[in-house]
Amino acid sequence: MTSQNIQGGGRLQGRVRVPGDKSISHRALLFGAIAEGITTIDGLLPAEDPLSTAACLRALGVPVSAIEAGRPVTVEGVGLDGFREPLQVLDCGNSGTTMRLMLGLLAGRDGRHFVLDGDASLRRRPMGRVARPLAAMGAVIHGREQGDKAPLAVLGKPLKGAVIRTPVASAQVKSALLLAGLTADGPTTVIEPALSRDHSERMLRAFGADLESRPDAPEGPTVVLRPGRRLQGQTVVVPGDISSAAFWLVAAQLAPGSDLVVENVGLNPSRTGILDVLQAMGARVEVLAEREVAGEPVGDLRAWAGPLRAFSIGGDLIPRLVDEIPVLAVAALAAEGTSVIRDAAELRVKETDRLAVMARQLRRLGAAVEETDDGLVIPGQQTLRGATVASETDHRVAMSLAVAALVADGTTTVDGGEAAAVSYPTFWDDLARLGG
Ligand code: S3P
C-alpha cells in the first residue's frame, strides 16, 4: 500500500490533460474485438480497468496491441461470434464495466464455456442486474448468491430478442443487453427509468449496428437494437474523462488562488451533470473551445477559485454525475449552506459503498456529514483538520480525499493512494505538478 502526503493550503495553477475516458475506452476495445477488420484507438485510457478488458479479450483470442500512454492501440476484430473458449478464468480485476459488458458479449456464444472473476471489491458487486435480463433472453449464467456474485460461469446459448425494462438507470446493464442483442434472433429493446450514459449507442452506431435511441419515449429512455448487421472496425478517438476532470474542477474552486485549464474533456450531455451542479453552485467554470471529435462533444475547461453555494441533487440528474458524487461531497464542505444528495443508493454498489466510505473518511478530517439511506446531507463552510485517511481501495475516494486535503489545515496522509491507477494513473504526479 502506498501513502500520499498532501499539505493543506496549496493552490493549483497551469494546464492539465486528463487521461482518456474510461467508459469509451472499454467500449472501443470491446466493440473493436467483435467487429471485422482493424480498430485503431487514439487516446485509450492506459489504466488498470481498460487493461483488464484488454487482458480478457486476449484470453478470448483477440489480438490487442500493447497499451501504453501516448501510443495508439490496435484491435484485430474476430467478428460477432469469433471468441475462442478460453483456457483460463477471465480476470476482470476491479472493473464492473468489464465484467458486465463481457457477460453480454459471452452469453450468446453457443456451446462455449467462460468463467469470469475479479478482485475482492468486484466479487461483492451485484451482477444479477445483468444476469437476470440476460436469462430472459435465454442465457445460462451461474454464480454465487443465486447467480448474483462472481465468480460467474457462462454457458453460451442462442439468445432471443426481448423487451427489457431495467430497474436501475445503468449504462453497464443497458450496454450488456445491447451487446447480447447483436446476435439474438430478433430485436432487443431496453427501457431505462432515466437516461444513463449513451456512449454504447453512439459507438455501436458508428461501427454499423442497427440501433435506434428514443431518449424522450413516454415509457422511459428506450433503445432498440436490431440484429443482423456486421460491425466494421473503426478509428476511435477517446476524449479526456470528465469524471477525472471533476477532481480538478472542484479543487480549483476550493483552493484559494487556483486557476486551471483542463484540456480535451469529453462533454457528452449524459455525463455533464457535474457542470450543471457546479454552475448552480456559482462555480467559475468556462468551456473554452467546444468541438466534436469522433462523434463525442469535447472542450477545454477553465476553472478558478471562489465561493460556492450549497446544492441539492436527486432524480434523473444522478445518472449524469454518478461517479462525481464523492468529489461533490468535498465541494459541499466548503459551500455556503447545507447540501443534500438524494436518490443515490447506487453509490452503495460501486467499487465501495461510496456513501458510507466518504462519510467515514471525511469525518476523520473533522467534517460533519450525515449519511442517509440514499444520499448525504453535508453542512457547508466547515474547517477540515489534516489527518490520516484511507481510499479503502476505491480510486474515486482516493482522489476526492486528495481534493479535501488541499483545503485541510496541516498535512493529510491518503493511505491506499495507488487505487487512483484504476482510472487515473498519473493523478498524484499531476497534483504535484499543478502545485498541490
Ligand atoms: C459506466 C457506467 C456507470 C459508472 C461506471 C462506468 C460505464 O455505472 O458508474 O464508472 O462505463 O458504463 P452504471 O451504469 O452501472 O451506473
Side-chain angles (χ1 to χ4, degrees), residues 19-20 22 26 44-53 67 420-425:
K22 182 158 80 67
H26 285 298
L44 185 103
L45 169 65
E48 287 170 12
D49 266 14
L51 288 173
S52 294
T53 292
I67 296 176
V422 160
S423 62
Y424 196 162

Side-chain angles (χ1 to χ4, degrees), residues 22-23 27 97 100 169-172 197 322-323 350 396:
K22 182 158 80 67
S23 294
R27 286 160 175 77
T97 310
R100 295 196 177 111
S170 160
Q172 297 182 357
R197 63 192 65 188
V322 65
D323 292 335
K350 295 293 180 188
R396 298 204 199 280

Side-chain angles (χ1 to χ4, degrees), residues 4 6 12 16-19 45 47 243-249 251 260 327 395-406 414 417-436:
Q4 298 286 339
I6 298 153
L12 302 183
V16 58
R17 206 175 171 86
V18 288
L45 169 65
S243 298
S244 297
F247 302 109
W248 305 128
L249 301 180
L260 284 179
V327 77
H395 55 129
R396 298 204 199 280
V397 171
M399 294 183 273
S400 300
L401 293 173
V403 175
L406 286 174
V414 181
E418 73 279 0
V422 160
S423 62
Y424 196 162
T426 55
F427 175 78
W428 300 107
D429 296 339
D430 284 348
L431 179 61
R433 187 176 54 79
L434 295 169

Side-chain angles (χ1 to χ4, degrees), residues 29-359:
L29 291 166
L30 293 167
F31 301 177
I34 56 168
E36 291 173 11
I38 305 281
T39 288
T40 304
I41 311 166
D42 276 327
L44 185 103
L45 169 65
E48 287 170 12
D49 266 14
L51 288 173
S52 294
T53 292
C56 290
L57 290 172
R58 292 188 189 110
L60 292 161
V62 181
V64 180
S65 70
I67 296 176
E68 288 161 25
R71 293 265 187 94
V73 174
T74 54
V75 182
E76 291 176 44
V78 297
L80 284 175
D81 198 37
F83 290 150
R84 68 159 189 240
E85 195 172 52
L87 292 170
Q88 67 270 54
V89 169
L90 299 172
D91 182 0
C92 303
N94 189 245
S95 176
T97 310
T98 306
M99 187 169 276
R100 295 196 177 111
L101 271 59
M102 208 49 104
L103 282 172
L105 273 181
L106 299 179
R109 310 285 65 79
D110 194 16
R112 275 154 280 174
H113 174 255
F114 310 92
V115 180
L116 296 142
D117 200 4
D119 69 6
S121 153
L122 193 55
R123 284 180 177 170
R124 285 192 292 268
R125 298 181 66 186
M127 296 296 144
R129 53 176 56 194
V130 176
R132 273 189 303 274
L134 285 175
M137 297 172 74
V140 175
I141 298 171
H142 294 284
R144 293 183 303 118
E145 300 183 21
Q146 279 83 48
D148 191 40
K149 303 276 162 64
L152 296 166
V154 180
L155 180 58
K157 292 284 178 194
L159 300 180
K160 303 185 287 279
V163 177
I164 294 159
R165 285 171 194 277
T166 62
V168 284
S170 160
Q172 297 182 357
V173 175
K174 172 175 65 179
S175 303
L177 300 174
L178 295 174
L179 291 173
L182 287 170
T183 55
D185 68 354
T188 296
T189 302
V190 183
I191 307 167
E192 298 189 274
L195 186 66
S196 66
R197 63 192 65 188
D198 67 354
H199 305 299
S200 290
E201 294 93 306
R202 287 173 187 246
M203 206 189 292
L204 279 171
R205 220 180 272 120
F207 273 74
D210 181 354
L211 180 144
E212 187 194 337
S213 294
R214 282 186 247 125
D216 300 320
E219 59 275 32
T222 300
V223 187
V224 183
L225 181 129
R226 290 185 186 78
R229 295 240 190 111
R230 296 179 182 172
L231 306 186
Q232 294 300 329
Q234 301 292 314
T235 295
V236 180
V237 184
V238 183
D241 198 326
I242 191 169
S243 298
S244 297
F247 302 109
W248 305 128
L249 301 180
V250 171
Q253 304 305 314
L254 303 189
S258 295
D259 193 345
L260 284 179
V261 175
V262 192
E263 296 172 348
N264 189 41
V265 181
L267 296 175
N268 178 313
S270 64
R271 298 284 298 282
T272 49
I274 176 76
L275 299 184
D276 298 349
V277 177
L278 285 172
Q279 191 182 20
M281 296 177 80
R284 287 134 304 273
V285 177
E286 206 173 72
V287 180
L288 292 181
E290 203 167 347
R291 52 212 185 255
E292 188 159 314
V293 181
E296 293 275 353
V298 172
D300 298 334
L301 300 175
R302 179 175 168 223
W304 65 100
L308 295 173
R309 292 187 291 273
F311 61 83
S312 178
I313 58 173
D316 291 359
L317 178 60
I318 297 298
R320 294 183 55 232
L321 47 65
V322 65
D323 292 335
E324 289 69 76
I325 290 174
V327 77
L328 274 175
V330 176
L333 295 170
E336 188 185 338
T338 294
S339 295
V340 181
I341 300 165
R342 278 173 283 105
D343 305 323
E346 268 296 297
L347 264 75
R348 298 200 182 278
V349 292
K350 295 293 180 188
E351 286 81 334
T352 59
D353 176 345
R354 287 182 173 157
L355 298 178
V357 173
M358 285 306 295

Side-chain angles (χ1 to χ4, degrees), residues 363-408:
R363 283 181 196 132
R364 289 199 190 174
L365 296 170
V369 178
E370 185 195 333
E371 190 185 332
T372 63
D373 285 349
D374 67 349
L376 298 169
V377 179
I378 307 173
Q381 295 179 317
Q382 301 198 43
T383 305
L384 304 182
R385 295 186 306 268
T388 297
V389 292
S391 72
E392 303 196 32
T393 75
D394 187 321
H395 55 129
R396 298 204 199 280
V397 171
M399 294 183 273
S400 300
L401 293 173
V403 175
L406 286 174
V407 289

